[in-house]
Amino acid sequence: MEHGDKKRDISIANSLVAKVQLGLPSTVAKLGSKMRFIDQIAPKLRNSGVIRTVTKKVPLTLNVTGIATASKTIPAFGGILYSAGALRQDLSIQDGVVYQTYQDSLVDIDEADDVDVTQKLKFVHINQMYDLLEELLNEANRPELVIVDSPLILERSDAPLESYEELHFDYIACKERIEQFWKDHKHEIYPFNSSGVKIVSVSSKRFGSVFYGLTSEHTEKYMIDSLVTQELSSLSTSFDKIKKVGVKKLLNGVLTRRTRTAAYEFDLLTSDNRLEPQFVRELGVINFHFRAGMRTMPLLVEAIGHKEDWKTESVDGLTSDLISLYTIDQLKALPLPLWYASHGLKAIKTGTIIQYYKSQAHEMIKNENVESVWTEEVDLFGEDDL
């Protein structure tokens, strides 16, 4: 081979160095442009009422419950073993001091196909959450506020293909569980009962945002908080840039300590409401984001009800309770009862339970202790079914 035809030997390290050197200035320029835009638009969003200030309650007096969920999966026996748990943490707070606590929990351990385990776990967690909510509402001393970290309602995108028969069955069962809960207890829950229990879901993972709805001609129809039309019109040329910046960056940039976004009904974001089950969809769903401290994450709040059911004052009161339940200003901080509940699920998150379960199952199979079970159930998989 002649010298001119000789191939160059380029290591991955050299390729990475070259990419960093060439790409870094462009990346920094784009990030700088987005940050400058956020700084420019933040005052306009505050003046228009899209970003609103919330007052912290000091000292706080509140009976509150947090329901957190967690799961862990490991490969085993050609499939997946999972453990899924939900923990309820009650706190009775008087003048800023916690004087009474209570815990309740549910755990599920089983096997599943690796193809559908993520969706299956979502359905398991929602069912567990509603089971704990049901027990709570059947008690005499109910909390004023319940904060959960699972969705209160399903989306149509959660529906699996009908060919995944077992997963489709789980989806239908979960949908029916949600519907039955709201049919049985709607009259006990705020805003359908003015003195009822407030139930809200908070999450950092779902980022549907009011910013996507500000260009809609029906904005006023779905907004709970009133906006300053004149200020909002001055933002009209910025909406395309808002979408390019990205909601997560924008929320981190414009939401400061003790603030929230304007609250809106979910229908503002889509003309095709694909929430399930239909009964709960017709009750309405409201959303808004809030941020408790400078270092805490912006969280999305989801509650059941229509625009007519919620008012600015009630959303402010709810948000005030939420931010007042923060005791530290750190990235992973959560409202206190939800943080306690999440911390209580450590045994599931670390995999301690599921690893022990796997080892015991492996030992039983090794010792052929399950042979009688296979024999008893063999008729379920007869030749006619194959």
Side-chain angles (χ1 to χ4, degrees):
M1 181 182 292
E2 296 182 3
H3 180 72
D5 296 330
K6 189 174 181 180
K7 295 181 180 179
R8 289 187 304 157
D9 186 6
I10 303 176
S11 68
I12 186 67
N14 288 337
S15 295
L16 286 170
V17 170
K19 189 64 178 177
V20 168
Q21 290 175 339
L22 292 172
L24 194 57
S26 174
T27 300
V28 170
K30 285 191 291 185
L31 285 172
S33 176
K34 289 180 179 180
M35 291 168 70
R36 286 192 297 273
F37 172 72
I38 291 173
D39 287 340
Q40 291 170 3
I41 203 172
K44 295 180 179 179
L45 290 170
R46 283 192 289 270
N47 293 337
S48 66
V50 176
I51 305 299
R52 314 173 78 89
T53 303
V54 182
T55 305
K56 183 175 182 178
K57 295 180 180 178
V58 181
L60 178 66
T61 297
L62 186 70
N63 291 325
V64 60
T65 293
I67 298 178
T69 58
S71 57
K72 184 73 174 180
T73 62
I74 55 172
F77 315 115
I80 294 288
L81 280 179
Y82 71 84
S83 59
L87 192 147
R88 164 191 167 190
Q89 176 70 62
D90 292 3
L91 296 179
S92 294
I93 304 172
Q94 184 72 42
D95 292 330
V97 178
V98 177
Y99 69 91
Q100 191 174 356
T101 66
Y102 171 79
Q103 278 192 356
D104 193 9
S105 61
L106 294 171
V107 176
D108 184 20
I109 303 178
D110 207 342
E111 60 85 28
D113 292 333
D114 58 353
V115 175
D116 59 23
V117 69
T118 301
Q119 277 187 296
K120 182 180 180 68
L121 286 172
K122 182 174 184 178
F123 303 148
V124 169
H125 284 319
I126 292 175
N127 281 327
Q128 289 176 329
M129 176 196 71
Y130 274 107
D131 286 346
L132 290 174
L133 282 175
E134 187 117 45
E135 289 181 21
L136 179 151
L137 290 176
N138 286 329
E139 295 170 1
N141 297 320
R142 300 173 181 176
E144 301 159 67
L145 173 64
V146 180
I147 311 166
V148 304
D149 66 358
S150 294
L152 296 174
I153 191 169
L154 293 167
E155 300 177 37
R156 282 300 295 270
S157 59
D158 292 322
L161 297 174
E162 292 189 15
S163 56
Y164 296 163
E165 291 186 9
E166 185 175 347
L167 186 61
H168 186 71
F169 173 81
D170 291 338
Y171 167 74
I172 297 298
C174 183
K175 190 167 71 169
E176 291 175 348
R177 180 71 183 91
I178 297 171
E179 181 172 350
Q180 193 60 52
F181 174 86
W182 286 97
K183 283 183 175 179
D184 292 344
H185 299 287
K186 173 192 168 185
H187 64 284
E188 303 171 73
I189 298 169
Y190 188 91
F192 311 106
N193 180 337
S194 59
S195 58
V197 179
K198 292 179 181 176
I199 300 176
V200 298
S201 170
V202 299
S203 172
S204 61
K205 299 176 183 177
R206 304 187 301 281
F207 273 98
S209 169
V210 66
F211 302 124
Y212 289 139
L214 293 177
T215 55
S216 170
E217 58 184 11
H218 303 299
T219 299
E220 189 173 327
K221 179 180 178 183
Y222 296 110
M223 294 302 300
I224 295 170
D225 299 299
S226 59
L227 303 180
V228 181
T229 307
Q230 185 177 356
E231 291 286 345
L232 201 60
S233 61
S234 70
L235 287 167
S236 58
T237 58
S238 304
F239 287 135
D240 288 338
K241 289 184 179 179
I242 286 175
K243 293 179 180 179
K244 289 179 182 178
V245 166
V247 171
K248 193 169 184 178
K249 279 192 181 71
L250 191 59
L251 285 169
N252 276 287
V254 301
L255 279 179
T256 56
R257 185 169 63 108
R258 300 174 190 171
T259 56
R260 70 172 178 89
T261 63
Y264 60 93
E265 195 170 336
F266 181 81
D267 283 347
L268 172 64
L269 301 185
T270 174
S271 58
D272 183 17
N273 190 336
R274 307 296 285 175
L275 298 176
E276 294 288 351
Q278 184 175 344
F279 174 80
V280 186
R281 180 203 319 167
E282 292 171 353
L283 296 179
V285 177
I286 70 148
N287 294 108
F288 64 92
H289 284 89
F290 79 97
R291 191 173 194 173
M294 291 304 298
R295 298 181 185 87
T296 59
M297 294 183 295
L299 295 177
L300 176 68
V301 177
E302 176 183 87
I304 302 301
H306 286 292
K307 172 190 174 182
E308 295 76 17
D309 301 318
W310 288 85
K311 306 299 179 188
T312 294
E313 295 75 19
S314 55
V315 176
D316 280 344
L318 170 61
T319 315
S320 182
D321 285 339
L322 291 172
I323 67 170
S324 300
L325 287 165
Y326 280 77
T327 57
I328 53 175
D329 186 4
Q330 293 181 0
L331 181 63
K332 295 184 179 181
L334 291 168
L336 194 58
L338 196 60
W339 183 88
Y340 269 125
S342 180
H343 184 73
L345 292 167
K346 186 177 180 180
I348 288 181
K349 293 178 183 179
T350 57
T352 304
I353 294 176
I354 196 65
Q355 289 289 354
Y356 174 76
Y357 190 83
K358 177 183 177 179
S359 66
Q360 292 301 300
H362 185 270
E363 193 66 27
M364 288 184 69
I365 293 172
K366 183 179 177 181
N367 295 335
E368 298 182 347
N369 290 342
V370 294
E371 184 177 352
S372 60
V373 177
W374 285 105
T375 305
E376 290 171 7
E377 303 295 340
V378 72
D379 61 312
L380 295 178
F381 299 94
E383 293 183 0
D384 293 340
D385 296 325
L386 301 177

